[in-house]
Amino acid sequence: MPVVERTITVDRPLRAVWAFLADFTTTEEWDPPTLSTERLSGDGGVGTTYHNVSKFDGLSTEIDYVVTEYVEHERLQLRGRGAGLALLDTITVEDVPGGTRVTYHAVFSPRHASSSVVLDRDGLMVLGDFVAESLLDSLEHL
């Protein structure tokens, strides 16, 4: 199972960073492959559902996410399922000298052994770098 984790520090207050990231629809602004993310139900807390459409390596993918953990001003975790792919995304924020530290941790796995999904680890690592740069840029403009 490929894991992508990136940590950035931004000179912005934790509450502002949390407000931005806890609304998962903002992936449209900071996650380059995302074409759209729509909240389908809930208030953002545990049980909230989102529908995400992304394009990576020329392929469009639809993922349905559900918030599985929500610790205000600390941690947001979502489980995603799409055609042959399961994801576990965890976003943590921490108040540090000079701003807010954000860690984005994503686990990618085929949903079942017979899945035809091919996970390119090198491509995911490059994507992780790209997402980190984009996230930092978005947060700096809060």
Side-chain angles (χ1 to χ4, degrees):
M1 288 187 292
V3 174
V4 175
E5 181 174 294
R6 298 293 183 273
T7 300
I8 60 168
T9 301
V10 61
D11 183 19
R12 295 293 180 267
L14 183 138
R15 288 185 180 271
V17 170
W18 175 259
F20 181 75
L21 295 175
D23 175 4
F24 201 62
T25 63
T26 63
T27 56
E28 294 176 4
E29 298 177 45
W30 60 266
D31 183 27
T34 293
L35 301 175
S36 67
T37 300
E38 176 185 1
R39 184 185 299 174
L40 301 177
S41 69
D43 61 2
V46 172
T48 297
T49 59
Y50 296 92
H51 182 74
N52 173 277
V53 179
S54 294
K55 192 169 188 175
F56 182 65
D57 276 347
L59 300 173
S60 183
T61 304
E62 295 190 27
I63 303 287
D64 290 314
Y65 283 96
V66 62
V67 176
T68 56
E69 188 174 2
Y70 182 97
V71 180
E72 191 165 3
H73 303 124
E74 239 178 85
R75 184 175 44 261
L76 175 68
Q77 187 173 75
L78 304 100
R79 281 197 188 279
R81 295 196 183 275
L85 185 64
L87 297 106
L88 181 63
D89 291 3
T90 306
I91 301 169
T92 57
V93 297
E94 180 182 6
D95 198 19
V96 295
T100 303
R101 179 180 305 142
V102 177
T103 300
Y104 182 81
H105 182 92
V107 179
F108 299 80
S109 57
R111 285 183 57 189
H112 34 77
S114 63
S115 175
S116 63
V117 172
V118 176
L119 298 170
D120 175 12
R121 290 177 194 266
D122 291 339
L124 289 173
M125 294 306 123
V126 170
L127 176 62
D129 293 341
F130 193 31
V131 169
E133 290 172 23
S134 182
L135 178 56
L136 182 60
D137 184 60
S138 291
L139 292 173
E140 286 176 338
H141 291 94
L142 288 180

